[in-house]
Amino acid sequence: MPEPTKKEENEVPTPAPAPPPEEPNKEKEAGTAPPKEWSLGESPATEEQEKQNANSQLSTLFVEKPQTGKVKVGGNITFIAKVKAEDLLRKPSVKWFKGKWMDLASKAGKHLQLKETFERQSRVYTFEMQIIKAKENYAGNYRCEVTYKDKFDSCSFDLEVHESTGTTPNIDIRSAFKRREVKQQEEEPEIDVWELLKNANPNEYEKIAFQYGITDLRGMLKRLKRMRRVEKKSRAFAKILDPAYQIDKGGRVRFVVELADPKLEVKWFKNGQEIRPSTKYIFEHKGSERIMFINNCALTDDSEYYVTAGDEKCSTELFVREPPIMVTKLLEDTNAYCGERVELECEVSEDDANVKWFKNGEEIIPGPKSRYKVKVEGKKHTLIIEGATKADSAEYSVMTTGGQSSAKLSVDLRPLKILTPLTDQTVKLGKEICLKCEISENISGKWTKNGLPVQEGDRLKVVHKGRIHKLVIDSALIEDEGDYVFTPDAYSVTLPAKVHVIDPPKIILDGLDADNTVTVIAGNKLRLEIPISGEPPPKAIWSRADKAITEGSGRIRAESYPDSSSLIIDTAERDDSGVYKINLKNEAGEAYANIKIKVVGYFIERKKKQSSRWMRLNFDLCKETTFEPKKMIEGVAYEVRIFAVNAIGISKPSMPSKPFVPLAVTSPPTLLAVDSVTDTTVTMKWRPPDQIGAAGLDGYVLEYCFEGTENWIVANTDLIDKTKFTITGLPTDAKIFVRVKAVNAAGASEPKYYSQPILVKEVIEPPKIRIPRHLKQTYIRRVGEAVNLVIPYQGKPRPELTWKKDGAEIDKNQINIRNSETDTIIFIRKAERSHSGKYDLQVKVEKFEENASIDIQIVDRPGPPQVVKIEDVWGENVALSWTPPKDDGNAAITGYTIQKADKKSMEWFTVIEHYHRTNATITELVIGNEYYFRVFAENMCGLSEDATRTKESAVIAKDGKVYKNPVYEDFDFTEAPMFTQPLVNTYAIAGYNATLNCSVRGNPKPKITWMKNKVAIVDDPRYRMFSNQGVCTLEIRKPSPYDGGTYCCKAVNDLGTVEIECKLEVKGGLSFCRLLLQGVPPNIIDSYLRDLQSSNPEEY
């Protein structure tokens, strides 16, 4: 690998101004070469190298260079430079200079004109500098520089001005190039600005810069400082290191120094640390030369290096440049079908390079939940899309630091074939319905019934396995009948099927007796309605003694409905008693039933035992031989009698029953719930019944049965009074149902069931520590106070708790730990400072654990300051100083209290309280007295118990003179804002941070506002604003051409407002696509490109 040299000796120099011709100076006359420097705007090349560069024919950009010319005073002359544009995408930038630093672009006017043209056929840019009415002062060395991106070229030429026959007054070149007309001035000798700055007072730097048009004053002062520093002749080094070196990443750099005395020992350092020989750092000695090689340079080697010889050292800087990552294999357009795996591949120039992927301009961020995955294999980068969909059709691009590539992905649907269509089905009620179809693609789809989406549930399941789709309905119902359609996703194909549900006829006799007997009161109308079912609705036929009963208007007739059939008998007679038959029939089958009708009835009466008044309980005849009287008073004795009724009339009453006292059972218990479960027990709890009644409540009975059985087992042999009971002896992993009854003298109440089966297995609850809010910060207590901290926790089964203090076990003799099922308590009766520290709590349940920490700080009053000294005594004042105390009481020192005492009385008086510094001045002391002073330290607990006193006393001497404090008038420091250093028009390179700087002063401190194109910059992440000691800086992060424009800095205070502007031009334009990838809105990009085209029409 070729060995790199200084930055200015590389093949492609950075785009900076070319080296000006070196002026003769005293050092050169003395025979010593001037020191080499590496900075923007000046090259460290020697005079011979500059002449070779100026006369070299190997130019990277120029096809024609300006040539040295002669002109008479008052004549005109034109210098021409041409640049070939075949390999250039944009117009190159050209600057004309006179001497070292004078930029002639700002001097264009009456005597100087700059022109540029472009020939489309030959594709050559022509740049002209025309000097009009030349004067003797115009003579000198000129320079033309051209830059384009990373290419740079320069050329120097001379202008000689000869006197004409007439006499012409001399005018300074600076005044000649000004736009305004000036009066003729006397000829001034050419002035070396470097000599002025070297010999000038630093206070006059700004004045010189303004007078001679210096724009980069800071840069010149830095170089001047280095020039002054190297002007001292080194005794140890005959040749020092170059100011800076530049090398590409992975390259090899060579540092060389030459010693004046070869016997001196040399040491190399990097950032202050000595460098030892290794495979990376290699040292060589060649005579008086000492050489250090750095192999395989990395970005970490970008640093400052220096070498020492004896008591002297010389330093340099190494800049390691990382080469841009290029895309060596571009993305290719890809077509795919839905559901396929898509891979987009590219290759870059470096292994494991940082590459970003974009979809339609938006960055793709891969992750565990993302559909996109990125695979990196050395230089190969692959974007993987699993199960592609039509939504993945887009333009995908990959971007590196040095290039980009894009490709289009098109995802289409495969042609769909129906392998097995849906078929119509007729299913009996309660049977399973299974609709099945098979298509050629493994895609999902939607099921609809009568045009509405099918919702999955307990009975209805949608199955998708590969290319087969099923709709399964368990226990078909009538409402499941309808038109079903399956529609594959993303296709317009539909697969229809009809489902017809049939049900054999059924006669529902649940409302009748066991023998299907119906009793009717003679003379009343009987309407016997029998519910029926069946699909399609069955036809019902009534008959008696094989004689059909027709539907019509007779006294005995039938009526039919879709869900019921009725037998109607108007004015029931005794002969109507008998057996009636109902017969049902549809396409699914038939059913029949016999019903017996009896014409009879009963009346029931009751009375209180002490009363003679009977009360009828039923106004409609009771057809049953049982009756439940209601609305009776508990605790009161009653008697009951019964009358029989038939078609002839009412019988005599029966004998009264024995007296009875009604007692009612309670209502069921409420809120039955599970309290806890273990591997063998279940604990239940409940609430008492809402209604208990006169019989009271004797207790509760808890019963349980295993799932799948109906054998209820009594859990408690005796009645229990409590509303909580534990069922024991249960097998692990069994499921039980539980119910509870309330019992009194009237019997047991209706049971209260628990809604679902209970699994007999202890549930592991992971531990959880609930740190109180006040303990999430440091818990502070004073020495002697009690510490009582309660920390709740959760976890089942009962967790294991472990406390540690600063990683060690807790001494239980000093700290008490008490644990319960729900919390743990740490208790310290009298806190000491040794109890301070970090307390760690670990709660563990089997393999689960939870940790928490509490910081406890025990504080006490501080000790006294260490030493108190009297620093000085003058007039009525004493200056004191002291050192902070050794013991701060485990808390920060918040202040000091200073007291004084007259030596005569030694009575102490407080002078200053809550003082924060460690030195103070005591004033207004009595002249002639002698004082002692003492200082207390103070923290959050209060003052220290003791104070530190001065060893010596302070004597306030009498000088016999009365000192009168002078009276000074207040000086008005207010000032309107004023810029002391203006903004300067700046060029920036796209993608590299740019800064704008200016300085302002004013009192009160002015408020600074930055604006771009008259619009204030507020909360924009691309800009950062700084203000330090009046220097205002605006940093623009990685600017693009869109960031170019006019920037303004505005300073405002109560006395006025001032603004200053500058122009920022960003070099290295971006295409529409790349601007779009950076998130710039399309309308702004269009506006920007149109403005750019109108300003430079020759390029478009």
Side-chain angles (χ1 to χ4, degrees), residues 504-506 536-541 583-592:
K506 293 181 181 179
K539 182 179 180 180
I541 300 175
N583 188 22
L584 302 179
K585 187 176 183 181
N586 66 1
E587 63 179 271
E590 61 179 307
Y592 67 90

Side-chain angles (χ1 to χ4, degrees), residues 40-310:
L40 189 65
E42 185 179 26
S43 169
T46 61
E47 185 177 3
E48 294 180 358
Q49 291 174 340
E50 290 176 357
K51 290 182 179 179
Q52 292 175 2
N53 293 337
N55 300 326
S56 175
Q57 299 300 324
L58 299 176
S59 175
T60 58
L61 293 174
F62 282 122
V63 295
E64 181 179 336
K65 300 181 180 179
Q67 302 298 323
T68 299
K70 300 179 182 181
V71 68
K72 292 184 178 181
V73 174
N76 301 335
I77 188 171
T78 302
F79 296 95
I80 300 176
K82 293 184 178 182
V83 177
K84 193 71 172 178
E86 289 182 351
D87 300 331
L88 308 183
L89 300 178
R90 298 287 303 273
K91 182 182 70 176
S93 176
V94 172
K95 291 184 179 181
W96 298 85
F97 294 90
K98 182 179 187 298
K100 289 185 178 181
W101 47 265
M102 183 183 293
D103 188 352
L104 299 181
S106 61
K107 308 300 181 181
K110 181 178 179 181
H111 295 276
L112 178 67
Q113 293 184 1
L114 303 177
K115 297 180 181 180
E116 55 185 46
T117 57
F118 177 68
E119 298 179 6
R120 293 186 177 274
Q121 295 180 353
S122 60
R123 298 192 60 81
V124 173
Y125 286 97
T126 302
F127 301 93
E128 298 181 0
M129 181 182 72
Q130 184 178 9
I131 298 177
I132 303 171
K133 296 182 180 180
K135 298 178 175 56
E136 292 183 359
N137 294 39
Y138 294 0
N141 181 261
Y142 288 80
R143 187 173 74 256
C144 178
E145 294 181 355
V146 58
T147 57
Y148 175 79
K149 291 187 177 178
D150 57 346
K151 297 182 179 180
F152 172 79
D153 202 353
S154 67
C155 176
S156 298
F157 56 95
D158 296 327
L159 172 62
E160 297 181 6
V161 181
H162 301 283
E163 295 183 0
S164 60
T165 54
T167 57
T168 304
N170 295 329
I171 301 178
D172 184 17
I173 186 64
R174 292 183 298 274
S175 62
F177 285 158
K178 291 183 180 178
R179 293 173 183 254
R180 62 181 183 272
E181 295 183 0
V182 297
K183 296 181 180 179
Q184 296 182 351
Q185 300 178 358
E186 295 182 359
E187 181 180 357
E188 296 181 2
E190 187 172 355
I191 298 174
D192 188 351
V193 179
W194 291 106
E195 293 298 329
L196 282 179
L197 292 175
K198 287 181 182 179
N199 302 322
N201 192 313
N203 297 332
E204 299 178 355
Y205 285 162
E206 290 188 4
K207 180 179 178 181
I208 296 174
F210 178 78
Q211 181 178 357
Y212 293 96
I214 300 174
T215 57
D216 188 16
L217 178 61
R218 293 185 180 179
M220 295 186 70
L221 292 178
K222 289 181 180 179
R223 291 164 54 194
L224 182 64
K225 184 177 180 181
R226 289 197 298 268
M227 291 171 60
R228 288 177 174 175
R229 184 172 62 246
V230 252
E231 280 178 1
K232 298 180 180 179
K233 186 176 180 180
S234 173
R235 297 181 180 178
F237 295 100
K239 180 181 178 182
I240 62 174
L241 291 172
D242 295 332
Y245 294 81
Q246 179 170 305
I247 187 64
D248 289 336
K249 180 181 176 182
R252 184 188 191 198
V253 68
R254 176 174 177 262
F255 294 150
V256 181
V257 294
E258 185 176 347
L259 300 179
D261 184 3
K263 297 181 180 179
L264 290 177
E265 182 182 0
V266 172
K267 292 185 179 180
W268 296 86
F269 293 86
K270 173 185 176 183
N271 287 337
Q273 295 184 353
E274 185 175 355
I275 302 174
R276 299 294 183 182
S278 63
T279 57
K280 185 177 183 64
Y281 301 100
I282 300 175
F283 300 127
E284 289 186 4
H285 293 185
K286 291 184 180 180
S288 60
E289 289 186 351
R290 299 296 182 264
I291 306 172
M292 179 180 72
F293 293 93
I294 303 179
N295 295 323
N296 193 19
C297 289
L299 295 180
T300 54
D301 295 322
D302 190 304
S303 181
E304 180 185 8
Y305 295 82
Y306 66 87
V307 58
T308 62

Side-chain angles (χ1 to χ4, degrees), residues 871-880 920-923 925 955-957:
E871 297 292 344
D872 193 8
V873 179
W874 75 98
E876 302 174 0
N877 310 307
V878 174
L880 300 177
T921 300
I922 312 301
T923 61
L925 299 175
V955 178
I956 309 303

Side-chain angles (χ1 to χ4, degrees), residues 748-890:
S749 68
E750 291 292 328
K752 175 65 177 179
Y753 291 88
Y754 188 68
S755 59
Q756 56 189 3
I758 303 170
L759 178 64
V760 184
K761 185 176 181 180
E762 186 167 15
V763 178
I764 297 178
E765 181 181 348
K768 185 69 177 179
I769 303 174
R770 305 290 184 183
I771 297 294
R773 181 176 297 178
H774 70 281
L775 296 181
K776 292 182 179 180
Q777 300 177 351
T778 302
Y779 184 75
I780 302 176
R781 279 291 179 269
R782 297 187 179 184
V783 172
E785 292 182 347
V787 177
N788 189 13
L789 304 180
V790 180
I791 296 92
Y793 65 87
Q794 297 174 347
K796 288 184 180 181
R798 184 168 180 173
E800 299 178 4
L801 280 78
T802 304
W803 279 97
K804 289 186 178 182
K805 176 179 178 291
D806 295 330
E809 297 294 334
I810 291 179
D811 186 0
K812 295 184 178 180
N813 296 328
Q814 297 183 1
I815 302 174
N816 296 324
I817 304 294
R818 286 175 284 182
N819 300 326
S820 67
E821 294 183 356
T822 58
D823 56 37
T824 177
I825 302 174
I826 180 170
F827 178 73
I828 304 174
R829 187 175 302 278
K830 288 185 178 182
E832 299 178 0
R833 287 174 59 178
S834 60
H835 294 148
S836 299
K838 182 178 181 182
Y839 289 77
D840 298 319
L841 171 62
Q842 183 185 71
V843 180
K844 188 175 182 180
V845 175
E846 294 188 359
K847 64 179 181 179
F848 302 100
E849 65 178 36
E850 177 83 359
N851 296 282
S853 299
I854 299 174
D855 292 325
I856 299 178
Q857 182 180 356
I858 308 300
V859 299
D860 196 3
R861 292 195 294 177
Q866 299 184 44
V867 179
V868 180
K869 297 180 180 180
I870 298 176
E871 297 292 344
D872 193 8
V873 179
W874 75 98
E876 302 174 0
N877 310 307
V878 174
L880 300 177
S881 65
W882 58 91
T883 54
K886 290 184 179 180
D887 182 11
D888 58 359
N890 203 22

Side-chain angles (χ1 to χ4, degrees), residues 838-1048:
K838 182 178 181 182
Y839 289 77
D840 298 319
L841 171 62
Q842 183 185 71
V843 180
K844 188 175 182 180
V845 175
E846 294 188 359
K847 64 179 181 179
F848 302 100
E849 65 178 36
E850 177 83 359
N851 296 282
S853 299
I854 299 174
D855 292 325
I856 299 178
Q857 182 180 356
I858 308 300
V859 299
D860 196 3
R861 292 195 294 177
Q866 299 184 44
V867 179
V868 180
K869 297 180 180 180
I870 298 176
E871 297 292 344
D872 193 8
V873 179
W874 75 98
E876 302 174 0
N877 310 307
V878 174
L880 300 177
S881 65
W882 58 91
T883 54
K886 290 184 179 180
D887 182 11
D888 58 359
N890 203 22
I893 300 297
T894 59
Y896 299 93
T897 297
I898 307 169
Q899 293 182 347
K900 67 178 180 179
D902 191 353
K903 186 177 181 180
K904 299 176 182 178
S905 61
M906 289 307 291
E907 293 183 7
W908 295 96
F909 298 94
T910 300
V911 180
I912 302 176
E913 292 182 311
H914 313 303
Y915 191 72
H916 297 287
R917 299 181 181 177
T918 56
N919 54 73
T921 300
I922 312 301
T923 61
E924 299 181 357
L925 299 175
V926 178
I927 296 176
N929 289 0
E930 188 174 355
Y931 293 92
Y932 286 95
F933 300 91
R934 66 180 182 183
V935 181
F936 293 87
E938 182 180 6
N939 63 4
M940 60 184 299
C941 296
L943 296 176
S944 59
E945 296 182 358
D946 300 325
T948 302
R949 198 184 79 173
T950 57
K951 296 181 179 180
E952 300 176 354
S953 62
V955 178
I956 309 303
K958 298 180 181 179
D959 54 3
K961 295 182 181 180
V962 177
Y963 179 74
K964 183 178 181 182
N965 292 326
V967 178
Y968 299 100
E969 296 182 358
D970 293 338
F971 183 76
D972 185 9
F973 289 96
T974 59
E975 181 183 8
M978 179 181 66
F979 284 99
T980 59
Q981 180 66 28
L983 291 173
V984 180
N985 294 339
T986 305
Y987 293 92
I989 299 175
Y992 294 87
N993 292 357
T995 57
L996 302 178
N997 300 285
C998 64
S999 59
V1000 65
R1001 71 183 186 191
N1003 191 18
K1005 183 178 180 181
K1007 179 181 179 182
I1008 305 301
T1009 304
W1010 286 92
M1011 294 180 289
K1012 176 190 175 186
N1013 296 332
K1014 302 300 183 181
V1015 178
I1017 300 173
V1018 180
D1019 296 335
D1020 193 332
R1022 293 180 303 150
Y1023 299 94
R1024 288 199 305 173
M1025 307 171 198
F1026 307 96
S1027 180
N1028 184 19
Q1029 300 295 328
V1031 178
C1032 305
T1033 303
L1034 174 65
E1035 181 181 357
I1036 307 170
R1037 296 183 176 181
K1038 297 183 178 179
S1040 65
Y1042 171 71
D1043 293 313
T1046 302
Y1047 287 80
C1048 175

